[in-house]
Amino acid sequence: AFNGTWKVDRSENYEKFMEQMGINMVKRKLAAHDSLKVTIEQTGDKFLLKESSTFRTLEINFTLGVNFDYSLADGTELHGSWTLEGETLNGKFARKDNGKELLTTRNISGDELVQSYDYDGVQAKRIFKRC
Ligand code: MYR
């Protein structure tokens, strides 16, 4: 169900979320218009994710339940994993610099992919449409 290419359509509270993450204003302004696109290819419990934005393009391979490293566009490093619970992908990551938890989910709602973020008491969402 997640397979395909998704382009961000809108965000909710993403500014505040990035602020809580410690992203400075200039970067937040840029990130608000990052044209994020994600291509997801799931094969069993393995995922290949292609991410592209105004900041960068990269490929990420992960297996459900297996920890991996991921760096945000600003260099912040995370460590954690995704698990699948029912129809929802649950991501549990921690920042390497301060140990704080970053929780994220992905699920399909109608014809949209909704990704939620939760860090240090601030929640945000980004909503993607199929390309
Ligand atoms: C992926 O599945 O896309 C790779 C692993 C994602 C880890 C969690 C990503 C959280 C991104 C938060 C953006 C914060 C910007 C300040």
Side-chain angles (χ1 to χ4, degrees):
F2 294 100
N3 283 356
T5 300
W6 303 89
K7 189 179 192 325
V8 71
D9 179 61
R10 60 196 188 277
S11 303
E12 294 173 9
N13 209 42
Y14 194 51
E15 270 279 340
K16 281 246 173 63
F17 178 81
M18 288 189 286
E19 193 175 348
Q20 192 71 10
M21 285 286 288
I23 313 281
N24 73 43
M25 194 185 70
V26 172
K27 287 184 186 162
R28 292 204 302 273
K29 296 288 173 211
L30 293 172
H33 304 282
D34 63 356
S35 300
L36 180 60
K37 233 190 221 185
V38 185
T39 298
I40 302 175
E41 288 173 39
Q42 179 186 6
T43 313
D45 59 357
K46 294 198 190 311
F47 283 75
L48 167 62
L49 224 120
K50 293 173 189 161
E51 173 186 318
S52 88
S53 69
T54 52
F55 295 112
R56 58 180 184 173
T57 63
L58 80 162
E59 292 195 3
I60 306 135
N61 278 286
F62 64 84
T63 301
L64 293 175
V66 179
N67 285 342
F68 62 98
D69 292 322
Y70 175 78
S71 296
L72 301 180
D74 74 337
T76 302
E77 295 183 89
L78 304 176
H79 184 76
S81 67
W82 286 103
T83 54
L84 191 59
E85 275 148 55
E87 308 275 273
T88 303
L89 277 169
N90 285 318
K92 199 175 168 187
F93 295 87
R95 281 175 70 140
K96 288 190 178 181
D97 56 353
N98 64 9
K100 285 191 186 177
E101 197 165 64
L102 194 164
L103 300 175
T104 177
T105 66
R106 286 191 173 114
N107 58 67
I108 308 293
S109 173
D111 54 3
E112 298 181 322
L113 183 153
V114 179
Q115 182 160 12
S116 73
Y117 307 90
D118 185 323
Y119 174 76
D120 208 15
V122 178
Q123 288 87 36
K125 273 184 190 167
R126 302 196 87 185
I127 296 128
F128 298 76
K129 288 189 183 297
R130 283 192 189 274
C131 292

